[in-house]
Amino acid sequence: MLNSIRLTALCLGLFALNAQAQESSSSPIVIKKDSTSSENAKTLFGSSTKSPLKSFGLSVSPITQFGQLGTQAGLSAAIHLNNSWEIGASFLRSTRDENSPKVSQAFQAFTIAYTPKANSIIHLSFPLAIGAISTQQARIFDQNLNPDPMPQGQPGPMRIRDDFGRRDRDGFQMGFRGPKALGIQPGVQLELNVLRNVRLFTAANYRFALGENSTSDMQGFSGQVGLKLGVFDRKLGFKKKK
C-alpha cells in the first residue's frame, strides 16, 4: 500500500513538471521596454522639429542724419526675421556744404537691430551699425584723359566727373579715398507704424571711430529721421484646409 502511494505521488510530480515545461515553451518572451526609449534625443541646440523662423519682411529706408558729424544722407536695406530682428546694410555720406568746416565723410556699414514689440503703434528699436568710415580727398585729375565736353554747339571749358557724378571745373576729382577707420554706431530708435507698409522713425546715435586713421571729426552724437518702406511680419507656411 505504501509503495502504491509513493508511486502515485511520483507520477503526479512528473506530470506537473511536464505541464509547466510545455507552458513555458509556448509562451512568448517579453522584454521590458526601456521607459526612456520613446523620448526624442536631447541635443545642444534643441530637439524640436519645428522651424524657428515664423515670419519675414523686407524694407528700404531713406535716412537723414544730423549732429556733431554734420549733415549726412543715405539709404539702408534690411531683412526682417520673426518681426523682431533686422539684418542689412546702410550707406551714409556727408551732404555738400561749402560753409561747413568739417571734412566730408562716408559710412558704409553692416547693420543689425532688435525690436521687442514691432506690432505696437509706437515702439522702440535698438540698432547697431559696424563698418568703415572714409573721408573725402581731392586728387589732381588730367582733363585730357577723361574729358566730359559740353554739348555740341555750346563752347565752354572741359569738365570732369567725380565718383558720384558731380562736375568740377578746377581740374581735380573728389572722392572718398581718404584714410579709413572702423566705425561702430549703436543707437536707440523710436518708430511709428503709419501704415501697414510704412514706418516713420527717429533715432539718437553715437558713432565711435577706431584705428590709426580715426579722428575726432569721425565720431560724435547724431540724430536721425527716416522712413521704412516694405513688407513686415509675413507669415511662413500654408494654412490647412478644413
Side-chain angles (χ1 to χ4, degrees), residues 15-240:
F15 178 78
L17 291 174
N18 185 41
Q20 185 176 1
Q22 290 181 356
E23 183 180 358
S24 300
S25 62
S26 61
S27 300
I29 298 175
V30 179
I31 300 175
K32 186 178 179 181
K33 189 177 182 181
D34 187 359
S35 60
T36 60
S37 62
S38 61
E39 297 180 2
N40 293 329
K42 300 297 187 298
T43 62
L44 180 62
F45 297 101
S47 57
S48 175
T49 57
K50 296 182 179 179
S51 172
L53 184 61
K54 308 299 182 184
S55 67
F56 74 99
L58 299 169
S59 69
V60 176
S61 304
I63 302 170
T64 300
Q65 182 166 289
F66 50 87
Q68 294 179 336
L69 302 174
T71 303
Q72 299 182 354
L75 196 70
S76 71
I79 299 174
H80 300 249
L81 304 176
N82 289 343
N83 205 30
S84 297
W85 291 96
E86 297 177 31
I87 301 175
S90 67
F91 175 76
L92 288 168
R93 55 163 290 185
S94 301
T95 59
R96 203 168 194 180
D97 185 1
E98 297 179 356
N99 297 322
S100 175
K102 292 185 175 294
V103 176
S104 296
Q105 57 183 272
F107 184 43
Q108 304 175 52
F110 165 81
T111 60
I112 185 171
Y114 176 63
T115 308
K117 298 181 179 180
N119 287 336
S120 300
I121 296 178
I122 299 177
H123 54 269
L124 289 176
S125 183
F126 303 92
L128 174 66
I130 302 176
I133 307 171
S134 54
T135 56
Q136 192 178 56
Q137 188 177 58
R139 185 179 69 175
I140 301 300
F141 190 79
D142 187 351
Q143 297 184 21
N144 296 322
L145 296 178
N146 186 22
D148 182 18
M150 296 292 292
Q152 188 175 3
Q154 298 183 18
M158 302 292 283
R159 297 181 178 180
I160 61 172
R161 294 179 182 271
D162 69 6
D163 289 348
F164 297 94
R166 293 197 302 265
R167 297 171 182 264
D168 291 304
R169 298 173 180 267
D170 302 325
F172 62 87
Q173 191 175 35
M174 300 296 292
F176 293 96
R177 305 182 189 85
K180 291 180 172 55
L182 173 64
I184 301 176
Q185 181 172 297
V188 178
Q189 194 163 281
L190 183 66
E191 297 185 359
L192 172 65
N193 293 344
V194 181
L195 297 171
R196 186 175 182 180
N197 298 322
V198 179
R199 295 177 180 177
L200 175 66
F201 66 86
T202 181
N205 310 295
Y206 188 87
R207 184 182 297 171
F208 298 91
L210 307 173
E212 296 181 356
N213 298 321
S214 61
T215 64
S216 58
D217 288 339
M218 293 180 176
Q219 59 186 9
F221 287 99
S222 63
Q224 281 185 355
V225 292
L227 284 173
K228 285 185 181 179
L229 308 173
V231 293
F232 308 99
D233 200 21
R234 290 295 179 92
K235 304 298 182 183
L236 293 176
F238 300 94
K239 295 182 179 180
K240 294 182 179 181

